[in-house]
Amino acid sequence: MGCDPVNSKINKKGNVVETNRFHSVILTSVKAVWVKTRCGILAGFHAAVPFVESARLCAEKNCAEVRKSMNKIKEKVMEYVFLFTAVISIIAVALICYFLFSNGFPAIKEIGLKEFLLGEVWRPNNKKFGIYPMILGSIYVTGGALVIGVPIGILMSIFMARFCPPKLYKVLKPVVDLLAGIPSIVYGFFGLIVVVPFVREHFNGNGQSIFTASILLGIMILPTIIGASEPAIRAVEQNYYEGALALGATHERSVFTVVVPAAKSGILAAIVLGVGRALGETMAVMMIVGNQPRVPDNIFQGVRTLTTNIVLEMGYATDLHREALIATGVVLFVFILLINLCFSALKRKGKE
Amino acid sequence: MDKAFVPMNKQSLRDKMKSYRRHPGSFILLLLVLLAAVATVAVLFFLVGYILIKGIPYLKPSLFALEYNSENVSMLPAMINTVVMVALALLFSVPFGVGAAIYLVDYAKKGNKLVGVIRITTETLTGIPSIIYGLFGMLFFNVALKWRYSMLSGAATLAIMVLPVIIRTTEEALLCVPNSYREGSFGLGAGKLRTIFRIVLPAAVPGILSGVILAIGRIVGETAALIYTSGTVAGVAGLMDSGRTLAIHMYVLANEGLHANEANATAVVLLVVVLLINWVSSRIARKFEVPKQ
């Protein structure tokens, strides 16, 4: 019996022991069939013919050559299996696009694109489906979150990259990671029991407003911004900083006027990432933003965002109403795709 | 941290104060940066502390009763559902995620166009908000595949959602395995498959594990993607039944407003579980960090 590199093991005494070769034959054949059915074009018909043949030969205890070709086939088949698993993400994106667009477009067509995007009235009972207030709501809330989150986030990442001693960094990094890990529903709950009453007591309105949501979202996008911009600032070459120092600038001045501008595209990418996070946030926003579908007069009024519109009404919506909600999702999806595009463009620019 | 940051101009505190007096702008910048750092840390501690202090007094044994009813609003069924959901979602996503990463690192040739497309789509998947996943899951799994509101369709949705996390962390872990391992294995006559499964993957396990745990954290904390896929029915659910996870349980309690105390207590449990999971993940990632080549 030859020594099969794949199917034999060396036992404790040092003898070569044939293990489950037959099992692996069955296993490979099952895998092969599976792959063949899944991606028939790829696995190809040709692989199957010698494979079946060799399986038979092997069962008749035929020798090393067969096993060699078996291995070859196995390698080939597994390569296609890996290829298939890699292609899954493409399939997923394609499916998401297909199902969203095919379910959302009929509604947009029926309502009319202009009526849908720019209509100011959302009254499903009266067949009025205008999502302009929600688009505005999303933009306001995201903008507010940026006003609060971006300065703090960037200053924090500057602190972590260029100011804090290594020992403190070891504490701060996990703290920021923890902030990123808190589920959005817990953030929302926190907003509901802390931020909403606070705003109600100290500002106008009933507390559920653009302002409230901006504060909470600003906190929520902090870890996103820090996580992306801190490495960008850290990656700036030390020469830049040292050159500025040598010219007589203080530490702060060299960091802010030389290092940070050099990391500009990385920081911008971080902000874009934060925009995506704020725009897509659903549950936390829903609990604190008030959810009235209207064009707001000031930031202490409640609004409804694109995301919350979907979650609020999907439970009981039917027919055109349901399709209009899916179309809302399509609009949100397009926004997010655009933001992703910006992000990857900025990232590529940063690498150059 | 690769390089410790050492300032070139080491000065005494007095020199520094002098310099700040001459450059008030620098001092203001320093203050701003310190303020941001303090604010970030303070917010985290306030948030976590507030939720813990508010919720811990309401953690009662009746909250962990086996049966859910409107009297005790027990969270145990939701916890069991969460465990099932995590297991199912990982069952779908880990084999595909790890396989994809293996393909990207060990099989794909440089300049392969497919790899570019795969990277773009993975990045896109990372950026898609969870509500869109929920919408897609509802349209595809619940309606098109007729799975209705079920744990299975929720898990499948979440599997797609965490797929990019697993692909990325596995890829990083595989890239960290020194090439000499692979060359040594090839040199001893092992084939590519054997090299991958016996040499490369075992060396990359810690990295993969930390990615998987990170994915668990996301699954446990997810709400928006599950409301319209796995539904909100309380009680231990079978594979094809609708069931709520802990995060959804929390959402329902907070939204109804009838059980404020129980919602507080649930928030504590959810927060502690998720933070623990994330902490373990980063610990594993750091402890087993393979030195880069």
Side-chain angles (χ1 to χ4, degrees):
Chain A
M1 183 58 65
C3 177
D4 180 340
V6 176
N7 298 317
S8 60
K9 272 184 185 157
I10 297 172
N11 69 6
K12 278 181 190 159
K13 286 172 191 165
N15 300 325
V16 176
V17 180
E18 289 278 327
T19 51
N20 57 7
R21 175 168 13 104
F22 197 69
H23 264 118
S24 79
V25 168
I26 294 172
L27 209 68
T28 15
S29 64
V30 168
K31 274 176 192 160
V33 169
W34 182 69
V35 169
K36 224 158 67 70
T37 47
R38 284 302 173 98
C39 44
I41 315 156
L42 293 177
F45 211 68
H46 297 288
V49 178
F51 168 70
V52 172
E53 187 71 1
S54 62
R56 190 177 61 80
L57 289 176
C58 202
E60 286 168 9
K61 291 188 179 176
N62 239 319
C63 50
E65 269 174 37
V66 180
R67 236 170 279 129
K68 229 183 214 169
S69 71
M70 278 283 305
N71 273 339
K72 247 184 199 165
I73 292 164
K74 203 165 152 189
E75 298 262 341
K76 206 76 203 153
V77 166
M78 280 311 278
E79 189 178 340
Y80 286 125
V81 170
F82 288 135
L83 179 66
F84 173 69
T85 58
V87 172
I88 277 283
S89 65
I90 302 179
I91 298 175
V93 170
L95 276 178
I96 291 174
C97 288
Y98 173 75
F99 272 89
L100 279 183
F101 288 131
S102 70
N103 282 289
F105 274 148
I108 296 180
K109 218 173 176 184
E110 199 173 326
I111 300 161
L113 184 64
K114 204 177 155 207
E115 187 70 11
F116 183 63
L117 289 180
L118 298 176
E120 291 193 14
V121 184
W122 173 269
R123 244 181 244 125
N125 293 335
N126 302 350
K127 301 270 171 226
K128 293 247 185 214
F129 300 103
I131 59 165
Y132 182 67
M134 286 70 143
I135 295 178
L136 267 191
S138 276
I139 292 174
Y140 284 153
V141 169
T142 306
L146 291 183
V147 167
I148 291 169
V150 167
I152 299 181
I154 290 178
L155 285 174
M156 176 70 179
S157 39
I158 291 172
F159 178 75
M160 283 172 72
R162 297 281 161 174
F163 280 83
C164 81
K167 266 189 191 157
L168 186 59
Y169 182 82
K170 272 189 190 146
V171 182
L172 278 183
K173 185 83 178 122
V175 164
V176 173
D177 286 346
L178 284 192
L179 209 52
I182 297 173
S184 60
I185 187 76
V186 174
Y187 272 113
F189 187 66
F190 175 76
L192 192 67
I193 59 175
V194 178
V195 187
V196 169
F198 176 80
V199 173
R200 192 190 305 139
E201 274 167 35
H202 296 85
F203 301 93
N204 301 333
N206 68 351
Q208 300 201 323
S209 62
I210 300 176
F211 184 66
T212 320
S214 298
I215 294 178
L216 194 74
L217 272 180
I219 297 172
M220 288 180 74
I221 63 173
L222 270 184
T224 315
I225 292 179
I226 296 171
S229 65
E230 195 251 333
I233 296 172
R234 189 175 288 277
V236 174
E237 277 184 53
Q238 197 69 2
N239 304 351
Y240 287 28
Y241 168 75
E242 284 163 5
L245 277 193
L247 288 173
T250 59
H251 172 69
E252 288 78 17
R253 193 163 175 195
S254 0
V255 169
F256 274 87
T257 57
V258 176
V259 177
V260 171
K264 196 173 55 191
S265 67
I267 294 175
L268 266 179
I271 295 173
V272 172
L273 212 60
V275 172
R277 173 102 203 258
L279 201 60
E281 185 48 55
T282 319
M283 305 317 284
V285 175
M286 188 167 100
M287 295 168 88
I288 55 170
V289 83
N291 298 320
Q292 300 91 331
R294 65 169 170 214
V295 179
D297 300 325
N298 61 53
I299 58 166
F300 296 106
Q301 280 189 333
V303 287
R304 186 185 283 194
T305 65
L306 289 169
T307 49
T308 56
N309 193 32
I310 302 169
V311 173
L312 280 169
E313 298 186 357
M314 195 46 112
Y316 58 85
T318 49
D319 303 331
L320 186 61
H321 182 195
R322 183 169 176 278
E323 282 178 17
L325 290 177
I326 296 168
T328 313
V330 171
V331 173
L332 176 68
F333 188 54
V334 170
F335 274 135
I336 293 288
L337 286 185
L338 288 179
I339 287 169
N340 274 352
L341 225 63
C342 284
F343 173 68
S344 47
L346 279 171
K347 222 170 105 188
R348 217 166 303 133
K349 204 174 152 200
K351 266 186 193 154
E352 272 166 15
Chain B
M1 235 173 47
D2 40 358
K3 223 191 308 175
F5 165 69
V6 187
M8 279 180 71
N9 54 345
K10 274 230 152 122
Q11 329 162 278
S12 67
L13 195 66
R14 188 189 270 165
D15 286 344
K16 233 176 193 171
M17 287 335 273
K18 231 188 219 165
S19 136
Y20 280 136
R21 209 161 295 145
R22 256 183 294 141
H23 306 279
S26 292
F27 190 60
I28 291 171
L29 286 179
L30 177 76
L31 281 186
L32 277 178
V33 166
L34 286 178
L35 201 70
V38 171
T40 312
V41 176
V43 160
L44 176 89
F45 280 105
F46 179 58
L47 201 158
V48 174
Y50 192 90
I51 286 187
L52 290 185
I53 290 168
K54 268 269 179 178
I56 286 178
Y58 300 111
L59 280 174
K60 289 174 297 196
S62 73
L63 275 175
F64 299 97
L66 208 54
E67 282 292 322
Y68 170 94
N69 54 47
S70 52
E71 290 273 305
N72 65 8
V73 285
S74 161
M75 65 173 106
L76 193 67
M79 289 171 95
I80 296 170
N81 285 345
T82 310
V83 173
V84 174
M85 186 67 84
V86 166
L88 276 177
L90 290 183
L91 196 69
F92 295 138
S93 62
V94 169
F96 285 112
V98 173
I102 290 176
Y103 181 81
L104 288 176
V105 174
D106 275 309
Y107 279 94
K109 294 180 183 71
K110 270 196 183 126
N112 187 338
K113 274 202 185 120
L114 189 68
V115 174
V117 178
I118 291 172
R119 270 188 218 292
I120 290 172
T121 49
T122 336
E123 248 174 50
T124 313
L125 283 181
T126 318
I128 295 177
S130 52
I131 179 68
I132 299 282
Y133 281 110
L135 211 54
F136 163 72
M138 185 193 80
L139 293 171
F140 183 55
F141 298 115
N142 291 24
V143 178
L145 295 184
K146 298 202 174 71
W147 290 358
R148 300 215 182 76
Y149 283 116
S150 63
M151 296 290 283
L152 193 63
S153 92
T157 311
L158 288 186
I160 299 176
M161 199 179 88
V162 298
L163 191 66
V165 178
I166 292 177
I167 292 180
R168 189 164 33 79
T169 45
T170 308
E171 214 186 324
E172 270 163 27
L174 291 179
L175 283 173
C176 278
V177 177
N179 257 338
S180 53
Y181 283 28
R182 295 185 179 88
E183 283 153 12
S185 172
F186 290 142
L188 289 172
K192 194 154 194 173
L193 260 187
R194 196 175 163 87
T195 307
I196 288 171
F197 279 112
R198 294 282 167 82
I199 307 291
V200 179
L201 272 186
V205 159
I208 298 173
L209 204 63
S210 88
V212 168
I213 296 173
L214 208 63
I216 295 178
R218 277 198 73 181
I219 296 170
V220 172
E222 189 48 60
T223 345
L226 286 178
I227 286 187
Y228 295 119
T229 51
S230 74
T232 53
V233 173
V236 181
L239 209 56
M240 296 308 286
D241 304 329
S242 164
R244 58 163 78 146
T245 64
L246 196 57
I248 296 194
H249 180 68
M250 155 103 223
Y251 160 70
V252 174
L253 288 188
N255 218 30
E256 285 173 349
L258 295 174
H259 304 281
N261 299 342
E262 285 80 359
N264 276 320
T266 313
V268 169
V269 175
L270 189 61
L271 187 69
V272 169
V273 167
V274 171
L275 290 189
L276 263 183
I277 289 171
N278 284 331
W279 181 71
V280 168
S281 162
S282 64
R283 273 308 285 266
I284 290 178
R286 221 169 310 139
K287 197 163 185 182
F288 294 94
E289 215 162 52
V290 186
K292 284 190 177 151
Q293 299 170 48

mmCIF file of all heavy atoms in Angstrom, chain B residues 127-141:
data_model
loop_
_atom_site.group_PDB
_atom_site.id
_atom_site.type_symbol
_atom_site.label_atom_id
_atom_site.label_comp_id
_atom_site.label_asym_id
_atom_site.label_seq_id
_atom_site.Cartn_x
_atom_site.Cartn_y
_atom_site.Cartn_z
ATOM 1 N N GLY B 127 -21.240 48.863 4.076
ATOM 2 C CA GLY B 127 -21.846 50.171 4.236
ATOM 3 C C GLY B 127 -23.358 50.167 4.282
ATOM 4 O O GLY B 127 -23.955 51.158 4.679
ATOM 5 N N ILE B 128 -23.982 49.069 3.864
ATOM 6 C CA ILE B 128 -25.449 49.055 3.814
ATOM 7 C C ILE B 128 -26.021 49.063 5.227
ATOM 8 O O ILE B 128 -25.624 48.253 6.055
ATOM 9 C CB ILE B 128 -25.948 47.816 3.039
ATOM 10 C CG1 ILE B 128 -25.515 47.900 1.582
ATOM 11 C CG2 ILE B 128 -27.452 47.700 3.132
ATOM 12 C CD1 ILE B 128 -25.897 46.692 0.769
ATOM 13 N N PRO B 129 -26.940 49.975 5.529
ATOM 14 C CA PRO B 129 -27.513 50.015 6.881
ATOM 15 C C PRO B 129 -28.423 48.813 7.143
ATOM 16 O O PRO B 129 -28.964 48.220 6.211
ATOM 17 C CB PRO B 129 -28.324 51.311 6.883
ATOM 18 C CG PRO B 129 -28.463 51.726 5.484
ATOM 19 C CD PRO B 129 -27.451 51.028 4.664
ATOM 20 N N SER B 130 -28.578 48.506 8.425
ATOM 21 C CA SER B 130 -29.261 47.260 8.757
ATOM 22 C C SER B 130 -30.728 47.264 8.335
ATOM 23 O O SER B 130 -31.292 46.215 8.049
ATOM 24 C CB SER B 130 -29.120 46.959 10.235
ATOM 25 O OG SER B 130 -29.512 48.061 10.993
ATOM 26 N N ILE B 131 -31.336 48.444 8.265
ATOM 27 C CA ILE B 131 -32.747 48.472 7.874
ATOM 28 C C ILE B 131 -32.922 47.999 6.436
ATOM 29 O O ILE B 131 -33.905 47.333 6.089
ATOM 30 C CB ILE B 131 -33.355 49.886 8.068
ATOM 31 C CG1 ILE B 131 -34.811 49.935 7.633
ATOM 32 C CG2 ILE B 131 -32.591 50.945 7.337
ATOM 33 C CD1 ILE B 131 -35.730 49.157 8.492
ATOM 34 N N ILE B 132 -31.921 48.305 5.590
ATOM 35 C CA ILE B 132 -31.983 47.837 4.205
ATOM 36 C C ILE B 132 -31.867 46.310 4.173
ATOM 37 O O ILE B 132 -32.564 45.638 3.415
ATOM 38 C CB ILE B 132 -30.857 48.472 3.366
ATOM 39 C CG1 ILE B 132 -31.002 49.990 3.337
ATOM 40 C CG2 ILE B 132 -30.859 47.928 1.952
ATOM 41 C CD1 ILE B 132 -32.047 50.511 2.412
ATOM 42 N N TYR B 133 -30.993 45.770 5.030
ATOM 43 C CA TYR B 133 -30.901 44.312 5.121
ATOM 44 C C TYR B 133 -32.245 43.730 5.543
ATOM 45 O O TYR B 133 -32.691 42.710 5.022
ATOM 46 C CB TYR B 133 -29.837 43.890 6.121
ATOM 47 C CG TYR B 133 -28.436 43.961 5.591
ATOM 48 C CD1 TYR B 133 -27.542 44.906 6.045
ATOM 49 C CD2 TYR B 133 -28.006 43.076 4.612
ATOM 50 C CE1 TYR B 133 -26.261 44.982 5.552
ATOM 51 C CE2 TYR B 133 -26.722 43.144 4.110
ATOM 52 C CZ TYR B 133 -25.863 44.098 4.588
ATOM 53 O OH TYR B 133 -24.602 44.181 4.091
ATOM 54 N N GLY B 134 -32.873 44.403 6.522
ATOM 55 C CA GLY B 134 -34.162 43.921 6.986
ATOM 56 C C GLY B 134 -35.198 43.924 5.867
ATOM 57 O O GLY B 134 -35.941 42.960 5.681
ATOM 58 N N LEU B 135 -35.196 45.001 5.108
ATOM 59 C CA LEU B 135 -36.140 45.127 3.994
ATOM 60 C C LEU B 135 -35.891 44.026 2.959
ATOM 61 O O LEU B 135 -36.821 43.363 2.493
ATOM 62 C CB LEU B 135 -35.944 46.506 3.350
ATOM 63 C CG LEU B 135 -37.139 47.190 2.720
ATOM 64 C CD1 LEU B 135 -38.267 47.281 3.707
ATOM 65 C CD2 LEU B 135 -36.740 48.582 2.258
ATOM 66 N N PHE B 136 -34.612 43.840 2.634
ATOM 67 C CA PHE B 136 -34.260 42.814 1.665
ATOM 68 C C PHE B 136 -34.632 41.424 2.194
ATOM 69 O O PHE B 136 -35.206 40.611 1.463
ATOM 70 C CB PHE B 136 -32.756 42.871 1.356
ATOM 71 C CG PHE B 136 -32.240 41.628 0.713
ATOM 72 C CD1 PHE B 136 -32.550 41.327 -0.607
ATOM 73 C CD2 PHE B 136 -31.451 40.736 1.425
ATOM 74 C CE1 PHE B 136 -32.077 40.169 -1.196
ATOM 75 C CE2 PHE B 136 -30.982 39.574 0.837
ATOM 76 C CZ PHE B 136 -31.293 39.295 -0.469
ATOM 77 N N GLY B 137 -34.311 41.172 3.454
ATOM 78 C CA GLY B 137 -34.630 39.865 4.033
ATOM 79 C C GLY B 137 -36.122 39.590 3.970
ATOM 80 O O GLY B 137 -36.554 38.484 3.635
ATOM 81 N N MET B 138 -36.909 40.621 4.260
ATOM 82 C CA MET B 138 -38.355 40.456 4.212
ATOM 83 C C MET B 138 -38.823 40.134 2.795
ATOM 84 O O MET B 138 -39.630 39.226 2.586
ATOM 85 C CB MET B 138 -39.016 41.743 4.705
ATOM 86 C CG MET B 138 -40.500 41.679 4.819
ATOM 87 S SD MET B 138 -41.167 43.334 5.021
ATOM 88 C CE MET B 138 -41.145 43.911 3.359
ATOM 89 N N LEU B 139 -38.269 40.871 1.817
ATOM 90 C CA LEU B 139 -38.705 40.667 0.438
ATOM 91 C C LEU B 139 -38.237 39.320 -0.114
ATOM 92 O O LEU B 139 -38.959 38.658 -0.851
ATOM 93 C CB LEU B 139 -38.170 41.788 -0.458
ATOM 94 C CG LEU B 139 -38.750 43.168 -0.196
ATOM 95 C CD1 LEU B 139 -38.000 44.215 -0.989
ATOM 96 C CD2 LEU B 139 -40.222 43.191 -0.543
ATOM 97 N N PHE B 140 -36.998 38.951 0.238
ATOM 98 C CA PHE B 140 -36.411 37.751 -0.366
ATOM 99 C C PHE B 140 -36.763 36.492 0.421
ATOM 100 O O PHE B 140 -37.410 35.585 -0.095
ATOM 101 C CB PHE B 140 -34.892 37.920 -0.465
ATOM 102 C CG PHE B 140 -34.211 36.767 -1.128
ATOM 103 C CD1 PHE B 140 -34.592 36.343 -2.397
ATOM 104 C CD2 PHE B 140 -33.172 36.099 -0.495
ATOM 105 C CE1 PHE B 140 -33.958 35.279 -3.013
ATOM 106 C CE2 PHE B 140 -32.539 35.025 -1.107
ATOM 107 C CZ PHE B 140 -32.937 34.622 -2.368
ATOM 108 N N PHE B 141 -36.369 36.441 1.685
ATOM 109 C CA PHE B 141 -36.555 35.213 2.452
ATOM 110 C C PHE B 141 -38.020 35.028 2.863
ATOM 111 O O PHE B 141 -38.590 33.951 2.703
ATOM 112 C CB PHE B 141 -35.656 35.214 3.684
ATOM 113 C CG PHE B 141 -34.198 35.262 3.344
ATOM 114 C CD1 PHE B 141 -33.428 36.348 3.693
ATOM 115 C CD2 PHE B 141 -33.599 34.216 2.651
ATOM 116 C CE1 PHE B 141 -32.085 36.396 3.371
ATOM 117 C CE2 PHE B 141 -32.258 34.258 2.324
ATOM 118 C CZ PHE B 141 -31.500 35.350 2.678
#
